[in-house]
Amino acid sequence: MHNTLKERDRAVNWHPYTQMQTAKDAIPIVRGKGVHLYDDKGKEYIDAVSSWWVTLHGHAHPYIAQRVSEQLNTLEQVIFAGFTHEPAILLSENLLQLLPGNQHKVFYSDNGSTAVEVALKMCIQYAHNYGKAKTKILAFKNAYHGDTFGAMSVSGRSIWTQPFKDLLFDVLFIDVPTSENLEHIKHIIYQHKDEIVCFIYEPLVQGAAGMLMHKAEDLDELMKFCRNQGILMIQDEVFTGFGRTGRLFAANYLSEEPDIMCFSKGLTGGTMPMGITTCSDDIYNAFLSDDQYKTLFHGHSFTANPLACSAALASMELLLQESTQSDIQRIARQHRGFASVLSAQNQVENVRQTGTILAWEYKTGKQTSYFNEIGKLLYEKFLQRGILIRPLGNTLYLVPPYCITEEELDFVYAQIINISSSFEYPKIDS
Ligand SMILES: *Cc1c(COP(=O)(O)O)cnc(C)c1O
């Protein structure tokens, strides 16, 4: 008798962000096509969260598959120290053209967390190479920049980071800027300006914090202040990049230019893992020297993997097509319409939107938190109806792939209204 995929999975796999003792069996997915995932029983799911915010053009996209497969038959991998290849050259050329004008160099790594680690090391060693003893980092409260130690350190302190708190480096956390608190934030920064080497931030949308949003004009003002204080800026576009905000990058809403930018998630269209850290000439030049000690001693085995580069090249080609750009605008428009419907629901609050990202909270009489029970119950209800939505506690959000059709998105909205208006709020005894 054969064991099921679920049983075999349970026997050997440890899943991310999952309490394995109480978690339900993972759903075995056997294939994907466009916005849909299919499980081993043939059940179809609409992937309304782009599989953890990575998928841009849908699953198993034939054009990306073709380009990766051509690359696979040509050159699958080569050491990137001392060697190079055209996919990495072309990807850097193409990406830099789309970024703020000061971004001139590309450093490759494997995921969003490593892109952040590289950015932090660039800033700290920048100061070191110029003989300055500045190591303090500025970050937003509730920030999320990844799960490796450096990335955790610059992320908001939470239950996720609690066991490691004594080992995380010291960070100055500030509120996200609003027109009311900007002067106060500037005052705090000013008091520490001589120690602060850099400011790392998620521009416009703080994803893992629960899709919290702030205004471009307030961020711009804060960036300008940091620039004037000689504080380097790391703009983490791991989530916001590649169209999510309604423009190619959150940077397109800002007039200030960051020194360093981080990318991953949608970079390869969600096909292959890859991270990118880009920087200005000012950063790059600080590492140029006859002195070997000024080198950026960082690298990963799979740096600039040609397969990942070719997936990214194909995905960016698709992203720049007029039809994709109009899909992005259409999703943003549909979201705006649905946002007003949602706002009228009396269990719903804080409806907010930036481009293709829509989020809201359910009132539960309890504090918004990742562990809020309602999230788990809603997750199950949506799955039953063939929709993958992964609440962050009582925060729900939609981040669909751009290939989702108008009808499919309307179907998702209808299910949301249906479920949230019939939802019995759980009674949780304290
Ligand atoms: C997801 C995320 C990361 C971490 O990326 P991983 O690829 O999961 O390591 C970093 N920054 C932001 C803003 C993210 O959303």
Side-chain angles (χ1 to χ4, degrees):
M1 166 101 191
H2 293 294
N3 288 330
T4 64
L5 288 174
K6 283 181 178 173
E7 287 160 352
R8 285 164 55 199
D9 180 75
R10 176 70 72 178
V12 293
N13 287 335
W14 189 347
H15 289 266
Y17 281 94
T18 303
Q19 173 45 259
M20 296 304 297
Q21 179 161 309
T22 51
K24 292 203 169 168
D25 287 335
I27 300 168
I29 294 298
V30 293
R31 68 189 178 92
K33 189 172 195 303
V35 76
H36 292 113
L37 295 166
Y38 298 89
D39 75 11
D40 58 343
K41 306 240 162 54
K43 186 175 163 108
E44 182 181 270
Y45 301 87
I46 291 181
D47 185 353
V49 294
S50 297
S51 279
W52 253 352
W53 324 344
V54 301
T55 310
L56 294 192
H57 312 293
H59 292 282
H61 194 285
Y63 182 62
I64 301 179
Q66 179 208 326
R67 293 281 298 271
V68 172
S69 133
E70 282 165 15
Q71 187 60 45
L72 187 54
N73 287 299
T74 311
L75 175 69
E76 85 301 346
Q77 165 67 6
V78 61
I79 176 173
F80 205 61
F83 292 84
T84 191
H85 50 84
E86 191 169 17
I89 296 165
L90 197 54
L91 177 55
S92 300
E93 289 170 349
N94 290 0
L95 178 63
L96 290 173
Q97 265 179 28
L98 304 175
L99 299 183
N102 70 340
Q103 297 296 297
H104 282 147
K105 290 289 184 289
V106 174
F107 193 99
Y108 286 94
S109 64
D110 301 338
N111 55 66
S113 303
T114 56
V116 166
E117 297 288 342
V118 169
L120 295 172
K121 285 173 81 168
M122 281 178 177
C123 288
I124 293 164
Q125 193 176 343
Y126 172 97
H128 177 84
N129 283 359
Y130 283 129
K132 290 190 193 134
K134 284 209 247 185
T135 54
K136 199 166 204 84
I137 295 165
L138 188 65
F140 283 145
K141 288 175 189 163
N142 295 314
Y144 179 76
H145 296 290
D147 284 351
T148 52
F149 264 86
M152 253 198 308
S153 294
V154 295
S155 297
R157 298 295 178 266
S158 71
I159 36 144
W160 299 345
T161 58
Q162 178 68 16
F164 315 104
K165 68 178 190 326
D166 296 342
L167 298 170
L168 302 179
F169 48 76
D170 200 24
V171 168
L172 182 61
F173 288 106
I174 52 170
D175 287 311
V176 292
T178 62
S179 51
E180 288 84 50
N181 69 11
L182 250 167
E183 289 313 308
H184 179 63
I185 293 173
K186 287 181 189 172
H187 181 71
I188 294 171
I189 296 172
Y190 189 80
Q191 287 179 318
H192 297 271
K193 68 179 167 58
D194 297 328
E195 311 151 62
I196 300 172
V197 61
C198 65
F199 168 39
I200 181 166
Y201 53 92
E202 294 159 88
L204 309 188
V205 185
Q206 293 186 285
M211 303 294 164
L212 303 178
M213 299 177 188
H214 54 269
K215 285 205 188 108
E217 63 199 64
D218 296 328
L219 180 58
D220 247 334
E221 177 91 21
L222 181 57
M223 288 171 74
K224 196 194 299 170
F225 183 76
C226 286
R227 164 96 47 233
N228 291 339
Q229 302 308 319
I231 295 169
L232 298 172
M233 286 175 275
I234 302 171
Q235 189 156 302
D236 179 351
E237 295 228 27
V238 167
F239 170 50
T240 53
F242 305 98
R244 293 291 182 202
T245 65
R247 299 196 189 168
L248 280 180
F249 299 98
N252 298 111
Y253 291 90
L254 299 163
S255 40
E256 287 295 317
E257 297 183 338
D259 299 277
I260 295 178
M261 299 178 76
C262 302
F263 306 94
S264 187
K265 294 205 166 108
L267 169 61
T268 64
T271 308
M272 317 260 318
M274 181 153 84
I276 277 183
T277 310
T278 64
C279 71
S280 66
D281 283 334
D282 177 44
I283 299 285
Y284 180 75
N285 291 342
F287 293 77
L288 300 181
S289 171
D290 296 328
D291 182 352
Q292 280 296 332
Y293 288 106
K294 295 198 170 167
T295 306
L296 180 64
F297 290 112
H298 190 102
H300 297 279
S301 312
F302 286 98
T303 300
N305 173 255
L307 300 175
C309 289
S310 63
L313 282 165
S315 173
M316 278 170 53
E317 245 179 69
L318 295 171
L319 178 65
L320 295 175
Q321 283 176 1
E322 221 167 276
S323 59
T324 309
Q325 290 301 310
S326 70
D327 280 337
I328 290 172
Q329 296 315 316
R330 189 252 312 154
I331 293 168
R333 206 165 47 240
Q334 278 186 273
H335 275 355
R336 271 194 296 280
F338 183 57
S340 57
V341 175
L342 261 183
S343 302
Q345 295 253 311
N346 54 24
Q347 314 91 321
V348 167
E349 59 189 349
N350 302 329
V351 181
R352 54 201 181 272
Q353 184 202 355
T354 301
T356 70
I357 308 162
L358 178 69
W360 64 96
E361 264 92 50
Y362 285 105
K363 297 176 195 163
T364 59
K366 300 197 177 253
Q367 263 208 318
T368 296
S369 101
Y370 182 73
F371 287 120
N372 203 306
E373 287 295 319
I374 191 176
K376 284 187 201 132
L377 295 162
L378 288 168
Y379 176 71
E380 293 298 331
K381 289 215 181 274
F382 284 115
L383 280 182
Q384 282 160 16
R385 294 179 189 219
I387 301 171
L388 170 52
I389 293 182
R390 208 183 135 87
L392 293 156
N394 60 328
T395 301
L396 252 79
Y397 66 87
L398 297 177
V399 180
Y402 309 145
C403 66
I404 194 168
T405 64
E406 185 164 355
E407 293 72 28
E408 286 161 347
L409 194 48
D410 279 338
F411 172 78
V412 171
Y413 295 153
Q415 298 307 309
I416 290 167
I417 291 298
N418 192 297
I419 287 176
S420 48
S421 50
S422 65
F423 196 72
E424 296 270 342
Y425 290 114
K427 294 197 178 57
I428 304 161
D429 297 326
S430 46

